[in-house]
Amino acid sequence: MKKVLSVVLAFATFGMVFAQTSSLSEPDPTVIGADSAKQALREVSVDRFEIEGSWNSHISPDYGVISSRLFEGSPAMKEPLKGDEEAEDSKVLGAKVEFFRRGVNSFYIKSTRPIPIEGVTKTVSVWVAGRNMAHEMFLLVQDYYGNNFELFLGNLGFSGWKKLTVAIPPTPDGEHGIIQQSAYDGVRPGLRILGFRIDCNPMLARGQYYIYFDDLRAVTDLYDVENRDEDDMNDDW
């Protein structure tokens, strides 16, 4: 009887935990690196892909040719950013790859300059139309000290638009991994977005491939920024 009661209680506990989780597919920014209750999480727009020429595309000339441009459109399921509903958001970035042959190759979609994000970034998301091809997409970032990292965003084997989200892993000791802030080296934006890399499935990398991007956002902790005294000095000299 005690064993049966224990099993029932265990399932009840699991059900409560499951019910409190809004989505198993997206990381929860409130618990990423949450070693203190002092957090001020804000969802901010990183780029809406509205300015022609602000993103570049590249592939090795041995594998194929690539071109990119803006198109009118937007994911129907996308919700506007709170407090920023009036901002222009009518375009998406599209890229077309024309492969020479099948093989192991990658192509890049990069910002013309690194895009800084204030505070400590918890998650980064972007809407993608991957055309149901099982290629793999990575987010390219640069940390506080200029070190480059790549984070797996997801597989592109889906139809239509889908929001891909990745958690930014916190540094375990302030010296290793992705470092976003330091009390020893002045004040600067913690994380910079460099762009994306798509690793192609060698069996599918043939003919033409199309991919589209929209609404690059981040959830960032702005506690230190918002609670800084107006008369405090900036450590950037």
Side-chain angles (χ1 to χ4, degrees):
M1 182 63 182
K2 291 183 178 180
K3 291 184 178 180
V4 173
L5 182 59
S6 299
V7 171
V8 172
L9 289 174
F11 274 104
T13 303
F14 176 80
M16 292 175 63
V17 173
F18 182 83
Q20 294 173 357
T21 303
S22 60
S23 174
L24 296 178
S25 62
E26 294 187 9
D28 185 354
T30 62
V31 299
I32 298 174
D35 54 0
S36 170
K38 297 179 179 179
Q39 291 194 107
L41 298 181
R42 303 287 184 271
E43 186 176 29
V44 299
S45 175
V46 179
D47 196 278
R48 295 186 179 88
F49 302 98
E50 295 293 310
I51 303 175
E52 194 75 64
S54 58
W55 290 81
N56 298 321
S57 55
H58 171 74
I59 189 174
S60 170
D62 294 331
Y63 299 139
V65 294
I66 188 172
S67 58
S68 58
R69 49 164 289 199
L70 297 182
F71 293 87
E72 294 287 335
S74 181
M77 297 180 294
K78 182 182 67 176
E79 297 182 358
L81 190 65
K82 292 181 179 179
D84 208 9
E85 290 85 356
E86 300 301 321
E88 183 179 357
D89 190 9
S90 60
K91 295 182 176 63
V92 302
L93 175 68
K96 179 176 74 171
V97 184
E98 299 176 80
F99 295 105
F100 292 154
R101 59 184 179 276
R102 287 192 299 196
V104 179
N105 52 60
S106 304
F107 63 90
Y108 297 83
I109 308 296
K110 285 190 172 183
S111 175
T112 54
R113 63 182 64 184
I115 306 175
I117 305 175
E118 279 193 308
V120 178
T121 303
K122 302 294 184 175
T123 65
V124 175
S125 65
V126 62
W127 283 87
V128 181
R131 290 297 180 261
N132 201 20
M133 291 288 185
H135 306 315
E136 294 187 335
M137 182 170 165
F138 294 81
L139 175 70
L140 307 178
V141 300
Q142 190 177 80
D143 76 351
Y144 188 87
Y145 292 113
N147 300 313
N148 295 337
F149 296 86
E150 56 187 50
L151 301 170
F152 180 64
L153 263 170
N155 189 287
L156 300 177
F158 55 85
S159 298
W161 287 99
K162 181 179 179 181
K163 186 173 78 168
L164 301 180
T165 305
V166 63
I168 308 300
T171 172
D173 54 9
E175 297 183 1
H176 301 87
I178 301 177
I179 301 173
Q180 297 198 54
Q181 62 182 358
S182 173
Y184 304 102
D185 296 288
V187 178
R188 70 187 79 155
L191 193 75
R192 296 170 178 84
I193 303 297
L194 302 179
F196 310 99
R197 189 187 78 231
I198 291 84
D199 290 348
C200 301
N201 184 314
M203 297 303 295
L204 303 176
R206 62 186 180 88
Q208 295 181 340
Y209 175 65
Y210 297 84
I211 185 171
Y212 301 88
F213 306 86
D214 193 29
D215 200 26
L216 181 60
R217 297 185 187 183
V219 175
T220 180
D221 180 7
L222 297 175
Y223 180 84
D224 289 341
V225 177
E226 294 181 349
N227 290 275
R228 187 180 184 88
D229 291 335
E230 294 182 0
D231 58 354
D232 199 356
M233 314 305 294
N234 286 326
D235 301 332
D236 56 0
W237 52 279

